[in-house]
């Protein structure tokens, strides 16, 4: 794989509570944002999670991206926290 050509990335894994998956990282290069790629990769991750019997997705969203996730049906849960030096908040979606 030519890493220079990768412009969307998503990684998710199961939590201890089996029917829940956490999307750990979603990244879209700046020049490719606002083109629907992030929404498409989230939809694919949600579909894969459903196929595995998942009932809920959680994401530790950067505060600046919360509006994006809310537009996809996620809701905020809990207080802001700092991760990797940036403010984050947990967002969740029931599948």
């Amino acid at each position: 794989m030519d890493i220079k050509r990768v412009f969307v990335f998503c990684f998710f894994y199961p939590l201890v509570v089996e029917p829940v998956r956490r999307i750990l990282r979603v990244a879209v290069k700046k020049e490719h944002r606002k083109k629907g790629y992030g929404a498409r990769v989230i939809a694919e991750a949600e579909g894969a999670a459903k196929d595995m019997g998942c009932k809920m997705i959680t994401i530790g969203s950067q505060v600046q991206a919360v509006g994006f996730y809310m537009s996809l049906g996620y809701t905020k849960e809990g207080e802001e926290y700092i991760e990797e030096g940036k403010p984050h908040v947990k967002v969740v979606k029931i599948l």
Side-chain angles (χ1 to χ4, degrees), residues 1-29:
M1 171 174 41
D2 182 359
I3 196 69
K4 293 178 185 176
R5 297 179 54 89
V6 175
F7 60 90
V8 174
F9 173 80
C10 176
F11 175 74
F12 74 99
Y13 66 93
L15 295 175
V16 175
V17 181
E18 194 56 36
V20 178
R21 295 288 187 270
R22 178 173 185 221
I23 294 178
L24 182 61
R25 291 284 181 263
V26 177
V28 179
K29 284 188 175 181

Side-chain angles (χ1 to χ4, degrees), residues 2-4 14 18 31 33 38 41 48 51 54 57 65 83 88:
D2 182 359
I3 196 69
K4 293 178 185 176
E18 194 56 36
E31 63 267 26
R33 293 180 186 162
V41 78
D51 290 347
C54 179
I57 297 272
E83 185 175 302
H88 284 66

Side-chain angles (χ1 to χ4, degrees), residues 22-77:
R22 178 173 185 221
I23 294 178
L24 182 61
R25 291 284 181 263
V26 177
V28 179
K29 284 188 175 181
K30 286 184 183 181
E31 63 267 26
H32 295 289
R33 293 180 186 162
K34 307 285 186 189
K35 297 179 182 178
Y37 298 121
R40 285 175 48 193
V41 78
I42 293 293
E44 288 294 325
E46 290 173 354
K50 281 183 187 179
D51 290 347
M52 291 183 238
C54 179
K55 305 293 184 206
M56 182 190 316
I57 297 272
T58 70
I59 303 172
S61 171
Q62 287 187 16
V63 169
Q64 68 187 24
V66 168
F68 165 74
Y69 292 111
M70 291 181 78
S71 76
L72 300 176
Y74 287 79
T75 57
K76 290 192 289 185
E77 185 176 277

